[in-house]
Amino acid sequence: MKRKNKNHVPIRMNYLFFAVFLLFSVLIIKLGLVQIVSGESYKNEVERTEGISVKIGTPRGKIYDRNGYVIVDNKALNAITYTKTPTTTSQEMIKVAERLSKFISVDTDNITDRHLRDFWILKNPRKSTKLLSPKEINAINESEDLSEEEKKEKVYKMQLDRISKEAINSISENELQVLSIFINMNTGYALSPQIIKNKNVSVEEISKVGENINKLPGVNVVTDWDRIYVHDNTLRSIFGNVSSAKDGLPKELKDNYQAQGYSLNDRVGKSYLEYQYEDILQGKKKKIENTIKDGAVIESRNVSEGTRGKDLVLTIDMKLQKEIETIVEEELASQVKKSGQSPYLDRAFVVMMDPFTGEILSMVGKKYEKNNETGKYELNDYSLSTFTSSYEAGSAVKGATVLTGYMTNNLYPGERMIDEPIYIRGTKPKTSWFNKYQKIDMSDLLALERSSNSYMWKIAFRIGGDNYVPNEAVDFTSDSFDIIRNNFNKFGLGVPTGIDLPGEVSGFQGKEKKPGYLLDLVIGQYDTYTPMQLAQYVSTIANGGNRIKPHIMKEIRNPGESIDEAGTLLYESKPEILNRIDASPEEIRQVQKGFYRVTHGSQGTANNFKSAPYEAAAKSGTAEAFYKGPEMDKAVPTYNTSLVGYAPFDSPEVAISVLVPWSHQNHDPYINKTISKRVMDKYFELKKERYRNSRQSE
């Protein structure tokens, strides 16, 4: 009899099916939780990862002169960029750099010794591990004083130090190109395009990169910009500088800029005008949203185009500026050749401004400097020093001395005093340059015309509370220096003028308060003043007593629609009165008359203006000074010469200061007066020429 076979599933299989059933149940529940409970958060995470916005800088605003001519602009450049993602590895960047190096050539000046060592380790991982023995590595790993991160850093540092010179020298020229590209790739933030090359990019390089762009993940061909200064060296020190795409935020300004929301790789103003008006000139950034998948940027979409920075219109008349520069260059070059007369002459300054508005029409500084490469001396732009360097100005300040006498009730307009040698016990006689022995009766007007020292000293005696008695000791009150300086400050002498540029200096104030130094102070031979202060001082006299703040920014405008024109007006600078001197209109007018006699009187010290078709008023100055060069053991005596003035006399529209430090030693070549006359002549020539041209164009 046959046995029937039982068709059944072993009990172990039942357990297995049941376990599978439970696992699937758990999986279904988990999927439900992910989709229903956590689905929104995961969706947000995906969106955050795949769509990341970055901001890219735009060109800076342009700078125009007062007549609408572009003087600082942007030049479009072809550029090759690289954008890395947050997950891009060094090895991946090296591979892209190796491919890119086949299509472009780059400078290798950015490579340091540390870069070379890092690169060698990156390219030779196996060899680098053999630079340390297992025993050394174990000793570092067993150290309880070091964290894991510190252990890795120590190992890496030892590897860097042990790379031989032969290994470094084995890096080929092609590898140096790769390294330079890699360095540029590795700067800045992830998803922020880094400039690989933007100077001298050839058409061939652009074409090759474009043809192979699919093989170069992260690489792109774009249009970049470079800052250009249209008139080369003119006012170059005033304009300042903008950081490069490689430099980004300057180290010394990083904290300040980051606090304002700037990124480390932003191009910003580093100095002077570009720095002072950074918030105006910096453009609104272009916004791009990058879509990332599998660690790579698969799409970039413009969210907003951004705009270039706002335009700046300066008070500077660029044509006048260049004409005055030429005058200064010619006169300096001519006088420097006369080494017997002017062995230490190397610089000269001119500041021209509107005495009623404070608008600076021209600020010229020129200086001979040695070119370290050629060994020859070159005449360079030194306009920055019109407000960052100071010198003894001499008798040019005597207008302030006379007005200080009026304002302290120690002198009245028209008062007569005797110009005579001043004898103070125990010192050499002090005299006016024109009067060594006589007694000459003179008024305040004649004292200004002839530049009397003795008249000014007697004002100082009165302010100091002592009467002049020949051959007696002097005992001035303790506050006499403060009285004179405080009143000089009201004209702008010895204090910042307030010019809208960084770095202005106040000048040097003599510390000792001996009686003889007070006499030196009132004739401009003790404290030092900047050319900008001298221009503000004479403007205060020219305009009737208001100290006007000088400024170089005239207007702020929106970017223009056309290439060469500024856009709509956003802001216009207004005249700012810093203070008014405590002199009456009659007293101010008296000093103005004295300045007129300086240029028109028979004994005027600047009567070379007498024949001018315009009527000028001025005060010239000569100050005893000392020159000490870097290779000299001690200072040698020399003279500074200066002139302050304005024109036309009855209706001033322009004021000037001219300062020529160390102009001569014995024989005065009057270079200060020659420059001043030529500069003022040129202003009125250009004014007449422009008027004639405007009439012809009507």
Side-chain angles (χ1 to χ4, degrees):
M1 183 176 170
K2 281 187 178 180
R3 270 178 100 178
K4 284 187 178 180
N5 291 330
K6 290 185 178 180
N7 187 16
H8 67 278
V9 178
I11 192 167
R12 284 177 295 177
M13 289 297 289
N14 288 332
Y15 287 141
L16 177 61
F17 289 145
F18 182 70
V20 171
F21 169 76
L22 287 177
L23 288 173
F24 271 107
S25 297
V26 171
L27 181 60
I28 291 169
I29 292 170
K30 285 286 186 183
L31 287 173
L33 287 171
V34 168
Q35 185 172 352
I36 298 169
V37 179
S38 305
E40 190 64 28
S41 62
Y42 280 111
K43 179 183 177 184
N44 291 338
E45 178 67 17
V46 170
E47 288 178 353
R48 187 188 69 80
T49 304
E50 292 192 348
I52 299 179
S53 297
V54 294
K55 294 180 178 180
I56 300 174
T58 52
R60 294 173 74 79
K62 298 181 181 183
I63 301 177
Y64 296 80
D65 85 335
R66 67 184 300 110
N67 297 310
Y69 297 108
V70 177
I71 52 180
V72 181
D73 205 347
N74 304 302
K75 180 182 178 182
L77 301 171
N78 287 325
I80 296 166
T81 66
Y82 175 77
T83 306
K84 62 183 177 182
T85 71
T87 59
T88 303
T89 65
S90 296
Q91 291 293 346
E92 288 171 336
M93 283 191 284
I94 285 288
K95 288 180 180 179
V96 175
E98 288 173 340
R99 294 172 192 162
L100 187 57
S101 69
K102 298 175 182 178
F103 310 126
I104 66 172
S105 62
V106 294
D107 293 330
T108 56
D109 298 339
N110 59 336
I111 299 175
T112 65
D113 180 71
R114 175 58 187 265
H115 286 139
L116 291 168
R117 293 177 183 275
D118 287 332
F119 183 71
W120 188 88
I121 289 177
L122 197 62
K123 295 289 290 182
N124 301 276
R126 291 184 179 178
K127 291 182 180 179
S128 62
T129 58
K130 296 179 181 179
L131 293 174
L132 272 70
S133 67
K135 184 178 180 181
E136 289 174 314
I137 294 175
N138 288 335
I140 294 171
N141 289 333
E142 291 172 1
S143 174
E144 296 180 356
D145 297 331
L146 299 175
S147 66
E148 290 303 315
E149 191 64 31
E150 288 171 337
K151 291 174 183 178
K152 292 177 183 178
E153 288 179 3
K154 187 170 183 179
V155 169
Y156 190 74
K157 175 69 167 56
M158 292 176 70
Q159 288 175 329
L160 287 173
D161 293 340
R162 294 185 182 184
I163 299 172
S164 66
K165 288 185 178 180
E166 290 77 16
I168 296 297
N169 292 334
S170 69
I171 298 175
S172 67
E173 286 297 322
N174 288 337
E175 287 178 316
L176 289 176
Q177 289 279 308
V178 173
L179 174 56
S180 180
I181 293 171
F182 173 74
I183 292 169
N184 292 336
M185 286 178 166
N186 208 26
T187 57
Y189 300 114
L191 300 175
S192 180
Q194 303 302 312
I195 298 292
I196 304 302
K197 183 176 183 180
N198 65 352
K199 299 287 179 67
N200 303 317
V201 181
S202 68
V203 175
E204 183 180 4
E205 287 176 322
I206 291 292
S207 299
K208 287 183 177 180
V209 171
E211 291 169 3
N212 294 275
I213 204 76
N214 292 333
K215 302 174 185 177
L216 301 166
V219 175
N220 201 1
V221 176
V222 300
T223 300
D224 192 31
W225 57 273
D226 194 17
R227 203 66 161 156
I228 59 170
Y229 301 90
V230 177
H231 296 280
D232 299 324
N233 203 36
T234 299
L235 283 177
R236 190 64 191 82
S237 62
I238 295 294
F239 293 139
N241 290 295
V242 176
S243 61
S244 68
K246 292 181 181 179
D247 295 337
L249 299 185
K251 184 178 180 181
E252 65 278 10
L253 301 172
K254 184 181 71 174
D255 292 342
N256 179 40
Y257 274 128
Q258 282 192 297
Q260 300 176 52
Y262 283 80
S263 300
L264 283 173
N265 61 339
D266 281 342
R267 301 172 67 178
V268 296
K270 295 198 298 184
S271 55
Y272 299 102
L273 194 70
E274 295 277 17
Y275 171 75
Q276 182 74 15
Y277 290 103
E278 165 65 24
D279 58 334
I280 304 299
L281 295 168
Q282 182 67 249
K284 184 179 179 182
K285 293 183 178 180
K286 180 178 181 180
K287 189 175 181 181
I288 294 177
E289 185 164 300
N290 292 309
T291 302
I292 302 173
K293 185 176 181 181
D294 297 329
V297 177
I298 61 172
E299 183 184 8
S300 293
R301 181 175 62 88
N302 286 349
V303 177
S304 62
E305 283 297 329
T307 57
R308 70 174 175 84
K310 297 178 182 65
D311 293 333
L312 207 61
V313 180
L314 302 187
T315 61
I316 296 292
D317 182 331
M318 187 54 77
K319 186 170 184 180
L320 177 64
Q321 172 79 19
K322 292 178 73 68
E323 292 283 3
I324 294 176
E325 285 189 356
T326 299
I327 291 169
V328 172
E329 288 170 359
E330 290 174 353
E331 295 301 330
L332 262 182
S334 174
Q335 190 59 34
V336 164
K337 293 177 182 177
K338 303 171 184 177
S339 58
Q341 281 187 0
S342 307
Y344 306 110
L345 173 63
D346 69 346
R347 68 195 68 184
F349 305 97
V350 176
V351 175
M352 180 177 282
M353 64 185 282
D354 184 319
F356 287 92
T357 67
E359 293 185 357
I360 299 171
L361 306 178
S362 174
M363 48 195 308
V364 173
K366 290 292 178 179
K367 180 185 178 184
Y368 277 103
E369 294 178 306
K370 189 175 183 179
N371 186 314
N372 293 328
E373 294 182 1
T374 65
K376 297 180 179 180
Y377 281 87
E378 301 172 346
L379 199 54
N380 293 329
D381 175 60
Y382 205 50
S383 50
L384 185 65
S385 288
T386 55
F387 62 93
T388 61
S389 66
S390 63
Y391 310 87
E392 299 91 344
S395 299
V397 307
K398 286 177 179 175
T401 301
V402 171
L403 277 161
T404 297
Y406 298 154
M407 293 187 291
T408 57
N409 297 316
N410 286 294
L411 186 71
Y412 61 84
E415 184 171 358
R416 307 188 75 85
M417 287 193 284
I418 300 297
D419 181 290
E420 60 183 323
I422 301 297
Y423 297 95
I424 298 174
R425 186 192 302 170
T427 65
K428 294 180 180 179
K430 298 173 75 70
T431 69
S432 297
W433 67 276
F434 58 85
N435 181 19
K436 303 294 183 182
Y437 310 106
Q438 303 175 12
K439 291 188 176 184
I440 303 174
D441 178 46
M442 60 176 54
S443 66
D444 48 0
L445 295 181
L446 185 58
L448 288 171
E449 177 183 343
R450 299 193 68 181
S451 197
S452 166
N453 287 342
S454 184
Y455 195 98
M456 306 302 149
W457 291 329
K458 290 187 175 181
I459 295 174
F461 269 94
R462 293 181 178 182
I463 293 172
D466 196 5
N467 293 318
Y468 168 62
V469 179
N471 298 310
E472 291 293 327
V474 177
D475 184 21
F476 290 143
T477 59
S478 59
D479 62 349
S480 52
F481 277 90
D482 293 335
I483 291 171
I484 292 172
R485 282 173 173 152
N486 288 340
N487 279 279
F488 274 30
N489 292 168
K490 295 174 183 177
F491 294 89
L493 296 172
V495 291
T497 65
I499 184 173
D500 53 335
L501 288 169
E504 182 178 19
V505 300
S506 298
F508 173 79
Q509 190 177 91
K511 300 301 179 185
E512 291 192 64
K513 294 188 176 181
K514 295 178 180 178
Y517 292 144
L518 187 72
L519 303 185
D520 291 339
L521 178 63
V522 297
I523 62 170
Q525 298 197 153
Y526 192 42
D527 291 357
T528 64
Y529 311 109
T530 69
M532 190 63 65
Q533 289 174 351
L534 292 173
Q536 188 180 55
Y537 145 67
V538 75
S539 293
T540 304
I541 293 175
N543 68 33
N546 292 323
R547 183 164 78 101
I548 300 291
K549 182 179 180 179
H551 60 276
I552 193 172
M553 188 272 282
K554 183 176 176 66
E555 296 171 350
I556 298 171
R557 291 180 173 268
N558 277 316
E561 294 183 4
S562 64
I563 295 176
D564 298 322
E565 293 184 3
T568 55
L569 181 66
L570 289 173
Y571 174 82
E572 183 177 11
S573 293
K574 303 294 183 184
E576 183 177 345
I577 299 174
L578 299 177
N579 63 265
R580 180 168 179 80
I581 62 172
D582 305 323
S584 68
E586 178 193 3
E587 291 168 340
I588 296 170
R589 188 66 178 170
Q590 186 76 354
V591 171
Q592 291 173 342
K593 290 177 182 177
F595 277 26
Y596 182 84
R597 288 178 59 160
V598 170
T599 55
H600 292 81
S602 60
Q603 300 178 87
T605 56
N607 59 12
N608 58 319
F609 279 92
K610 191 172 184 178
S611 61
Y614 51 88
E615 290 194 322
K619 183 69 192 80
S620 62
T622 303
E624 295 178 2
F626 289 89
Y627 176 86
K628 187 178 187 301
E631 299 177 0
M632 297 172 63
D633 294 330
K634 60 181 181 179
V636 295
T638 182
Y639 291 94
N640 301 338
T641 53
S642 61
L643 186 139
V644 296
Y646 58 91
F649 173 69
D650 287 324
S651 182
E653 59 185 69
V654 62
I656 64 166
S657 72
V658 175
L659 188 58
V660 188
W662 316 308
S663 66
H664 64 286
Q665 281 195 294
N666 298 312
H667 176 70
D668 190 346
Y670 302 124
I671 183 174
N672 58 321
K673 300 171 187 178
T674 304
I675 290 175
S676 300
K677 175 66 164 48
R678 289 188 64 188
V679 164
M680 200 72 91
D681 287 349
K682 182 56 64 176
Y683 171 83
F684 285 101
E685 283 175 19
L686 284 177
K687 180 183 177 182
K688 186 176 181 180
E689 176 187 319
R690 284 166 173 165
Y691 175 75
R692 186 169 56 248
N693 291 340
S694 67
R695 291 295 301 272
Q696 290 175 352
S697 63
E698 290 178 357

Short mmCIF file of all heavy atoms in Angstrom, two decimals, residues 61 111 183 202 209 254 339 512 532 536 538:
data_model
loop_
_atom_site.label_atom_id
_atom_site.label_comp_id
_atom_site.label_asym_id
_atom_site.label_seq_id
_atom_site.Cartn_x
_atom_site.Cartn_y
_atom_site.Cartn_z
N GLY A 61 31.05 102.79 -10.15
CA GLY A 61 30.59 104.01 -10.78
C GLY A 61 31.74 104.77 -11.42
O GLY A 61 32.91 104.62 -11.03
N ILE A 111 52.62 82.13 -6.89
CA ILE A 111 53.05 80.88 -6.24
C ILE A 111 54.12 81.16 -5.18
O ILE A 111 55.13 81.79 -5.47
CB ILE A 111 53.58 79.88 -7.28
CG1 ILE A 111 52.49 79.52 -8.29
CG2 ILE A 111 54.10 78.62 -6.60
CD1 ILE A 111 52.97 78.64 -9.42
N ILE A 183 45.49 77.60 -7.45
CA ILE A 183 45.50 78.60 -6.37
C ILE A 183 44.33 79.58 -6.56
O ILE A 183 43.62 79.91 -5.61
CB ILE A 183 46.84 79.36 -6.33
CG1 ILE A 183 47.96 78.43 -5.89
CG2 ILE A 183 46.76 80.57 -5.40
CD1 ILE A 183 49.35 79.01 -6.08
N SER A 202 43.48 86.04 -24.67
CA SER A 202 43.45 86.08 -26.13
C SER A 202 42.15 85.49 -26.68
O SER A 202 41.45 84.73 -25.99
CB SER A 202 44.64 85.31 -26.71
OG SER A 202 44.50 83.92 -26.44
N VAL A 209 38.62 77.46 -24.64
CA VAL A 209 37.88 77.18 -23.40
C VAL A 209 36.40 76.99 -23.71
O VAL A 209 35.75 76.07 -23.20
CB VAL A 209 38.08 78.31 -22.37
CG1 VAL A 209 37.14 78.12 -21.18
CG2 VAL A 209 39.53 78.36 -21.90
N LYS A 254 39.61 94.73 6.31
CA LYS A 254 38.71 93.58 6.22
C LYS A 254 37.57 93.67 7.23
O LYS A 254 36.40 93.51 6.88
CB LYS A 254 39.49 92.29 6.42
CG LYS A 254 38.65 91.02 6.25
CD LYS A 254 39.46 89.76 6.47
CE LYS A 254 39.82 89.61 7.94
NZ LYS A 254 40.49 88.33 8.23
N SER A 339 71.51 123.85 -9.47
CA SER A 339 71.80 123.20 -8.20
C SER A 339 72.53 124.12 -7.23
O SER A 339 72.41 123.97 -6.01
CB SER A 339 72.62 121.93 -8.43
OG SER A 339 73.82 122.24 -9.12
N GLU A 512 57.97 124.11 22.48
CA GLU A 512 58.57 125.06 23.43
C GLU A 512 57.87 126.42 23.32
O GLU A 512 57.44 126.84 22.24
CB GLU A 512 60.06 125.21 23.14
CG GLU A 512 60.87 123.96 23.47
CD GLU A 512 62.35 124.24 23.45
OE1 GLU A 512 62.83 125.04 24.30
OE2 GLU A 512 63.04 123.69 22.57
N MET A 532 46.71 123.00 1.70
CA MET A 532 45.25 123.09 1.75
C MET A 532 44.82 124.08 2.84
O MET A 532 43.87 124.85 2.65
CB MET A 532 44.65 121.71 2.02
CG MET A 532 43.14 121.64 1.87
SD MET A 532 42.56 121.99 0.19
CE MET A 532 43.27 120.61 -0.71
N GLN A 536 42.55 127.52 2.44
CA GLN A 536 41.37 127.82 3.25
C GLN A 536 41.52 129.16 3.96
O GLN A 536 40.57 129.95 4.05
CB GLN A 536 41.13 126.70 4.26
CG GLN A 536 39.81 126.82 5.02
CD GLN A 536 39.62 125.70 6.02
OE1 GLN A 536 40.45 125.47 6.89
NE2 GLN A 536 38.50 124.98 5.89
N VAL A 538 43.36 131.86 3.05
CA VAL A 538 43.22 133.03 2.18
C VAL A 538 41.80 133.15 1.65
O VAL A 538 41.31 134.27 1.40
CB VAL A 538 44.25 132.98 1.02
CG1 VAL A 538 43.87 131.95 -0.05
CG2 VAL A 538 44.41 134.36 0.40
#
